[in-house]
Amino acid sequence: MYARLTFVRQLLPLSGRAYSTTARVPLAFELHKPPKETDKPHAPIIFMHGLFGSKKNNRSMSKVLARDLGRTVYAVDLRNHGDSPHNPTHDYLAMADDVEGFIEEHRLTGTTLIGHSMGAKTAMTLALRSPDIISDIVSVDNAPIDAALLSSFGKYVQGMKKIEEVGVTRLVEADEILKNYEESLTIRQFLLGNLYRPKDEKITKFKVPLKILGAALDNLGDFPFKDPDEVRFVKPALFVRGTQSHYVSDEALPIIGRFFPRFELVDIEAGHWVISEKPELFRRGMHGHLSQRNNC
């Protein structure tokens, strides 16, 4: 058995909203359509990456979900990531507001939100703030709680800043520097995926604004909603956690159930990078949950 499912069926009232005070950012995205068009319309999926990620991280899984479910998948770049614009405000209310703007711009209805890590808290925030425009959510290895990020994220920022200070011209040079901050080749490759060479320049730079994201690390550990007696999302919610990760502990399950009273839990034998570590198990979990949504 690859996963354990926990069902919480209690339905509770919903109230309360929170808003961002910063301007919306238009989000870059990749569109993944089903290989075969059908007469029956299916609701779209918005797929959101984690910190230092981008839409390309979810490209393969987005194509698989579009194929398996017959649903259009929008893999987006959240603000200050990938090809989306930079903005000095980087918190969950602002990112959720960007995604709401994306839904409005593309006139999407019945939307499913899938988010990993930072993207998961963005999905939860939008679902609690604007439940009428969301059909259901999938939160991958994060919970609606205040919890400090791993100290490694601060080290990643230090290493990436060092790479820019040195002014490297080759990827292998950047990797040698980053080895001093992160042992895992897989994680280093993930971080270095943000490197690019500006036109007519020899020195590589990072697409992500390191100063902004470095200053936002404390905010990214927090969750903007504190009281589940004031606001709840009473539609379906799937929480996927890596059993080797610390982000969704057993102690967090009661608060998840209060904010998301219809949540289901899937455990996958993996660390924090659930999707890349165990893509087939993740696909199965998504297929089971989202196929039910297709049939609703």
Side-chain angles (χ1 to χ4, degrees):
M1 189 71 175
Y2 79 96
R4 174 171 60 83
L5 292 180
T6 300
F7 300 88
V8 181
R9 297 297 188 188
Q10 183 183 13
L11 295 177
L12 296 167
L14 173 68
S15 64
R17 290 185 64 148
Y19 297 88
S20 172
T21 57
T22 189
R24 283 176 174 172
V25 163
L27 303 180
F29 68 98
E30 287 184 351
L31 181 62
H32 303 281
K33 293 185 176 182
K36 295 181 180 180
E37 295 292 338
T38 62
D39 294 333
K40 181 182 178 181
H42 288 305
I45 295 170
I46 296 178
F47 210 147
M48 294 170 284
H49 58 81
L51 182 59
F52 301 125
S54 73
K55 57 185 179 295
K56 66 183 182 181
N57 300 131
N58 297 319
R59 182 177 296 156
S60 296
M61 188 57 62
S62 294
K63 291 179 179 179
V64 168
L65 293 177
R67 179 200 68 198
D68 289 354
L69 300 170
R71 297 175 64 175
T72 298
V73 180
Y74 296 83
V76 301
D77 283 333
L78 297 174
R79 62 168 54 200
N80 296 313
H81 288 77
D83 298 317
S84 288
H86 297 174
N87 187 287
T89 301
H90 194 85
D91 58 35
Y92 291 114
L93 286 175
M95 286 185 280
D97 197 45
D98 293 341
V99 177
E100 182 166 350
F102 185 88
I103 290 172
E104 293 173 358
E105 177 188 357
H106 294 272
R107 300 180 181 180
L108 306 181
T109 58
T111 305
T112 292
L113 300 179
I114 303 176
H116 171 249
S117 194
M118 180 182 75
K121 277 192 172 179
T122 300
M124 288 183 267
T125 299
L126 181 53
L128 291 171
R129 196 193 75 166
S130 302
D132 292 344
I133 66 171
I134 305 301
S135 174
D136 60 306
I137 70 166
V138 178
S139 170
V140 185
D141 212 51
N142 219 331
I145 59 175
D146 293 342
L149 298 182
L150 291 173
S151 60
S152 54
F153 283 104
K155 291 171 60 178
Y156 299 159
V157 173
Q158 294 175 21
M160 295 161 81
K161 284 183 176 179
K162 185 65 175 179
I163 289 169
E164 287 199 333
E165 290 171 5
V166 171
V168 303
T169 59
R170 297 186 302 153
L171 187 62
V172 65
E173 296 171 344
D175 188 54
E176 282 298 319
I177 293 172
L178 204 55
K179 283 180 182 178
N180 298 315
Y181 301 86
E182 174 55 52
E183 294 182 359
S184 169
L185 174 61
T186 301
I187 295 177
R188 295 201 308 271
Q189 290 174 333
F190 165 73
L191 296 171
L192 294 176
N194 288 289
L195 273 179
Y196 78 109
R197 182 175 287 103
K199 187 177 180 180
D200 299 326
E201 293 188 28
K202 294 182 178 180
I203 295 175
T204 59
K205 296 181 179 180
F206 284 98
K207 279 189 173 184
V208 293
L210 297 174
K211 183 176 180 180
I212 292 174
L213 295 182
L217 291 180
D218 288 341
N219 288 338
L220 295 179
D222 295 338
F223 188 67
F225 294 97
K226 310 300 181 185
D227 188 354
D229 290 330
E230 294 183 354
V231 58
R232 292 171 188 169
F233 183 73
V234 297
K235 299 176 183 179
L238 178 66
F239 281 74
V240 180
R241 67 174 174 178
T243 56
Q244 299 166 17
S245 171
H246 84 290
Y247 280 99
V248 187
S249 66
D250 287 342
E251 290 74 19
L253 298 183
I255 195 69
I256 291 174
R258 293 182 66 197
F259 275 119
F260 300 93
R262 290 179 61 188
F263 90 101
E264 302 172 13
L265 177 69
V266 169
D267 280 350
I268 293 180
E269 189 86 17
H272 182 56
W273 311 95
V274 180
I275 302 172
S276 59
E277 289 181 41
K278 296 293 176 66
E280 176 57 20
L281 297 185
F282 179 80
R283 184 199 68 79
R284 287 190 223 166
M286 293 303 93
H287 190 273
H289 174 76
L290 297 179
S291 291
Q292 295 176 25
R293 304 279 76 74
N294 281 358
N295 296 326
C296 291

